[in-house]
Amino acid sequence: MNQDLTSPETEEKLKKATSWIPALREEIGRVIVGQHYLVDRLLVGLLANGHVLLEGVPGLAKTLSIRTLASATNAEFKRIQFTPDLLPADIIGTLIYSPKEESFHTRKGPIFANLILADEINRAPAKVQSALLEAMQERQVTLGDETYPLPEPFLVLATENPIDQEGTYPLPEAQVDRFMLKLKVGYPGKTDEREILDRMASTAPKLDVNAVTSLEAICNARQHVNEVYTDPKIRDYIVDLVLASREPAQFKLDIGQYIQFGASPRATISLTLAAKAWALMQGRAYVIPQDIKDIGMDVLRHRVIPSYEAEAEEMTSEDLVGAIFDAVPVP
C-alpha cells in the first residue's frame, strides 16, 4: 500500500477534516432516538455527494432526521410532498409575468435548498419525477433562458411508497440508478421505542437543535474524500462485485436466471465513493474490504433487479446481492 497516502500526517489531516462528525452524531442523537443506520448513511451521502432513496413505513422519523441534520449543519431544508397533481414548476420554479413592468421575474422553487426531502416521490407522475432527477443529476435548473446552479452541498432524500399501493407510479430503473444509496429503515427495538415514548410523548416535545458544524466544513471534508486511498486490489474487488451482478456464471454463481438487470457502471463509481466516505467516517485514510461490505448492500440493492423467476421463488434483490458478496473472493 502506498505509504505516503496512508502516512500519519495524511491520517491526521483527514481526521481533522472530519472532526465535526462525532459532535454532529451526538447532536442529532439528542432528538432522534436510534436510527444510527439512517443518520450514518445520510452523512455518507453528504460526504460522497450522492442522493439517498429511502423505503420505510410512515412514522420512522425520516422527516425529523433530515430536518435535524439540516439544523445541526446550518443548512437550508425544504420538504416537497409529492402528489398526483404536482407539476414540475412546483419543484424547480417558474417565470412570473409582471404586467406593470412588462417583464418576467424568476420565482425559484423549493429545489433551491441544501437538503431536500422528496416525500413519497412515486406518488407523482413521471414528468415531475424527471424534473427532480434532472436537477439532481445536473446540479442546476434552467428557467427561461437562465441556468441557475443549485446550492452546495445539495442532497436529496427521497422516500418511496411500496409499489403495491394504489396511486403510485413506479420509478424506472434508469431514474432509481441516479440515487447513490437506497436504504431500508425498519422499526425501532423495544429499548429505543421506550425512549421515544419518554422523550416524545408530549404536546410540545423539545426538538431544539444547535448548529455544531457548518456547510463549509462539510464541503471541505468532501474534498478530502478524494484523498482516501483505494488499493488496486480493492478497486478490482469493487469491479468484480459489479461484474458478478451481470455475469454471475463467471464467479461460479448459479443465479443468472434470477437477475433481470445487473448493476450499471454508475454502481462501480458510487460504491467506490461511498466506501471512501465510509472509511473517512471511521477515521481511516484508506479503504478496507469491510468498508465495501458495510456500504455495499445500500449501493447495490436498487441496481440489481430480480427477474420474474426470482419473484416467483420469493427471492429479493438483497438475497441476490448477498449471494454475490458471498461468492466474490475478498482481497
Side-chain angles (χ1 to χ4, degrees):
M1 191 175 283
N2 188 318
Q3 291 300 312
D4 182 52
L5 286 167
T6 56
S7 65
E9 293 81 8
T10 303
E11 291 231 355
E12 189 61 36
K13 183 175 72 169
L14 296 185
K15 282 182 181 177
K16 188 176 180 182
T18 56
S19 59
W20 49 269
I21 289 178
L24 182 59
R25 280 188 179 130
E26 186 179 340
E27 188 64 24
I28 292 172
R30 290 179 53 243
V31 174
I32 306 297
V33 178
Q35 296 294 20
H36 304 298
Y37 164 78
L38 171 59
V39 172
D40 280 350
R41 268 59 180 182
L42 287 176
L43 290 177
V44 168
L46 271 176
L47 288 172
N49 199 17
H51 307 291
V52 181
L53 182 61
L54 198 64
E55 194 173 285
V57 297
L60 295 178
K62 299 185 290 289
T63 305
L64 186 59
S65 294
I66 193 166
R67 182 180 283 130
T68 304
L69 176 64
S71 299
T73 56
N74 253 336
E76 187 179 358
F77 167 73
K78 290 285 176 65
R79 177 178 177 272
I80 307 170
Q81 180 64 53
F82 278 60
T83 57
D85 60 349
L86 201 70
L87 298 172
D90 296 328
I91 295 174
I92 64 173
T94 187
L95 295 176
I96 305 294
Y97 183 70
S98 170
K100 186 176 180 180
E101 298 177 18
E102 297 184 349
S103 62
F104 285 93
H105 296 279
T106 302
R107 178 177 290 175
K108 292 182 178 180
I111 194 77
F112 288 90
N114 299 113
L115 298 178
I116 306 290
L117 177 65
D119 214 1
E120 298 186 300
I121 186 174
N122 59 340
R123 284 278 180 209
K127 187 184 290 187
V128 177
Q129 294 172 7
S130 298
L132 173 68
L133 291 162
E134 183 184 0
M136 288 165 51
Q137 184 73 13
E138 308 300 332
R139 312 266 170 177
Q140 62 184 30
V141 167
T142 301
L143 296 171
D145 298 329
E146 291 289 322
T147 298
Y148 301 91
L150 292 170
E152 285 289 337
F154 175 67
L155 176 70
V156 172
L157 173 70
T159 66
E160 187 179 24
N161 274 330
I163 297 304
D164 58 356
Q165 286 193 8
E166 284 185 26
T168 61
Y169 301 79
L171 290 174
E173 282 79 12
Q175 291 187 354
V176 172
D177 194 39
R178 294 188 189 183
F179 289 93
M180 176 176 278
L181 307 172
K182 180 178 179 181
L183 316 182
K184 286 203 170 180
V185 181
Y187 289 110
K190 183 178 179 181
T191 306
D192 285 345
E193 188 97 27
R194 175 57 196 270
E195 191 175 342
I196 291 169
L197 169 65
D198 294 342
R199 202 185 286 188
M200 306 296 282
S202 164
T203 55
K206 291 184 178 179
L207 301 175
D208 296 332
V209 182
N210 299 313
V212 294
T213 187
S214 64
L215 296 180
E216 290 75 23
I218 292 171
C219 291
N220 178 50
R222 185 183 280 181
Q223 297 301 317
H224 288 288
V225 169
N226 300 321
E227 298 177 30
V228 175
Y229 179 66
T230 313
D231 190 83
K233 289 181 180 178
I234 297 285
R235 294 179 183 223
D236 289 340
Y237 179 49
I238 292 170
V239 171
D240 283 345
L241 287 168
V242 174
L243 282 178
S245 73
R246 301 177 202 155
E247 300 171 19
Q250 283 192 20
F251 298 85
K252 298 184 174 65
L253 262 174
D254 189 24
I255 59 172
Q257 70 273 28
Y258 299 125
I259 298 177
Q260 185 178 4
F261 297 110
S264 71
R266 195 181 272 133
T268 313
I269 297 166
S270 293
L271 187 50
T272 306
L273 286 173
K276 284 184 171 189
W278 186 254
L280 197 61
M281 288 170 61
Q282 314 311 311
R284 270 184 282 102
Y286 54 90
V287 176
I288 61 174
Q290 190 58 45
D291 296 328
I292 312 293
K293 292 191 169 189
D294 287 344
I295 206 75
M297 182 64 76
D298 302 311
V299 175
L300 295 175
R301 66 156 50 93
H302 56 302
R303 294 182 160 104
V304 177
I305 311 300
S307 65
Y308 292 117
E309 288 91 337
E311 290 175 6
E313 298 196 22
E314 297 185 346
M315 290 183 72
T316 64
S317 59
E318 282 93 345
D319 296 329
L320 298 170
V321 173
I324 289 167
F325 270 103
D326 290 341
V328 176
V330 179

